[in-house]
Amino acid sequence: MLESIRSYAKRTDKYYLALCLFSSAMAVLLLASWAAEQGGGFATDELTGQITGIGDFRRALVQAAAAGMGLLVALGLSTVDYRRLVKVWPFHVAFTWGLVLPTLFIHNLALGPLTIGYNAGDTDNYSWYRLGGFTFQPTELAKISFILTFAMHLNNVRGRINQPKELAKLLAHLFAPILIIHIQGDDGTAIIYGIIGCCMMFTAGLSWKYIVGALAAGVAAVSAAFMFLSDSIGKSYQWYRILAVIDPENATNWAPSEEVWKNIVYQQDRGEVALGAGGILGNGLFSGEYYSVPNAHNDFIFSWAGNALGFVGCMVVLGVLITLVIRTFMVGARSEDLLGSFICAGVGGALLAQIAVNVGMNLRLLPVIGVTLPFYSAGGSSILMLYICVGLVLSVHMHNKKKLFG
């Protein structure tokens, strides 16, 4: 047993694991400190004041347990050759998308303790399953399947990616899941899928003429939406969130009422105040003043980090996450085959996209679209899925021999 552990330690990327574990440990600390600010964290009896449960500390405990389970899954998965995982693509595609597709048509259907098409927030997104007190979003698991199948597709295409026929097939492969997730109402996740696919195609050698053309088309489409379609789509809360970033004071009267305007900008206003209130070194994890922010444990955990740990703490959090992204791409660069490179490009792209979008939301540079911060945002199922991605990267690291510089 000890010899097996030593052998594994020599073959795996210990620094990559250390970065993941540091991020998970910091997340548990931040969630525990957030819980302590919520009336002491524990659930109490309103009349007697006696503690009746773990209350908000449950989120920190779930995060720690999910990270522990995820680490075991990642270690086990890393010993499996990633090529074998790609070969069994029909099974994981059928399983993952077999869970996703029912949520397109079934909303809040309770079958005993299981709810299909559960709405986890005050939106039109019914993409969740709820089992007892736990929720699970199958599109997170499908994301892993997509990375594997898209990597296989790119590997099969190889140098023909810029041929219109092959590129059209790749775009169909990419836009099919994006369309499904858009119909679900989870445009934040759909955007992440799009960025993953773009990162992987860029790694595969997509021509700059297509990249520039796509960017130009995107800018033109957004401009046209603002100029000609704002009245017809202005009733959407998603559209309001975009306008709230461009015109947070409602100077152009984009909001139909003051109540709608205040409701849309409230979360980002509070998040911005909380970030600034931490100053350089923060107010402390378990002491100090904190400005209440909706979903501070989830989408706006970065604002809590800013308040508790200050600018320095935020830079540490971001520095470790960006280092993790860079190391993911480096593992792909060292892969002995293109398949491993494409898988790492997908995982790295997913991490980078979520970090950029989530931090942009917290800084009020981007609209709130429900994208979590990897490792830090509360959610047991998302942490498990993240560690599966970690296992894929470690599998590529352990099953290649090519050196980065010769």
Side-chain angles (χ1 to χ4, degrees), residues 6 36 108 221 257 301 351 377 391:
R6 291 194 193 98
N108 286 326
S257 67
I301 189 67
L351 289 171
S377 295

Side-chain angles (χ1 to χ4, degrees), residues 113-333:
L114 175 67
T115 301
I116 302 174
Y118 178 69
N119 187 340
D122 189 21
T123 66
D124 296 326
N125 182 4
Y126 293 88
S127 62
W128 298 76
Y129 284 78
R130 181 180 175 90
L131 182 61
F134 297 92
T135 57
F136 168 67
Q137 192 175 25
T139 50
E140 289 297 314
L141 188 58
K143 185 190 300 178
I144 300 169
S145 177
F146 170 75
I147 289 173
L148 292 173
T149 56
F150 204 60
M152 178 184 67
H153 193 161
L154 287 169
N155 189 57
N156 291 338
V157 171
R158 302 253 175 154
R160 305 191 309 276
I161 185 174
N162 291 306
Q163 295 179 8
K165 180 180 178 181
E166 299 297 343
L167 183 57
K169 293 177 182 178
L170 285 167
L171 292 176
H173 189 162
L174 173 59
F175 283 115
I178 290 176
L179 179 60
I180 291 172
I181 297 167
H182 168 71
I183 293 172
Q184 283 183 324
D186 189 5
D187 285 335
T189 300
I191 290 172
I192 300 302
Y193 269 72
I195 296 174
I196 290 171
C198 290
C199 284
M200 295 176 74
M201 286 193 292
F202 179 79
T203 303
L206 182 64
S207 172
W208 277 102
K209 67 180 181 181
Y210 291 120
I211 297 173
V212 173
L215 289 174
V219 171
V222 172
S223 300
F226 271 95
M227 293 174 62
F228 305 112
L229 302 177
S230 58
D231 292 337
S232 61
I233 63 177
K235 295 181 180 181
S236 168
Y237 71 93
Q238 295 171 322
W239 186 249
Y240 289 155
R241 288 176 177 179
I242 295 172
L243 294 173
V245 173
I246 300 171
D247 178 18
E249 301 302 325
N250 194 31
T252 58
N253 295 316
W254 56 264
S257 67
E258 186 175 2
E259 181 182 359
V260 169
W261 167 62
K262 288 183 176 180
N263 182 58
I264 292 296
V265 302
Y266 180 76
Q267 186 178 36
Q268 286 186 305
D269 280 347
R270 300 297 292 180
E272 197 172 35
V273 172
L275 269 169
I280 300 298
L281 298 177
N283 297 316
L285 282 168
F286 295 95
S287 63
E289 184 180 0
Y290 179 64
Y291 291 86
S292 175
V293 180
N295 287 317
H297 61 285
N298 196 0
D299 294 351
F300 276 72
I301 189 67
F302 191 71
S303 69
W304 172 256
N307 189 90
L309 303 175
F311 176 79
V312 173
C314 285
M315 289 301 98
V316 171
V317 168
L318 286 178
V320 172
L321 287 175
I322 294 302
T323 303
L324 189 62
V325 171
I326 293 172
R327 200 162 186 92
T328 301
F329 287 133
M330 288 177 63
V331 171

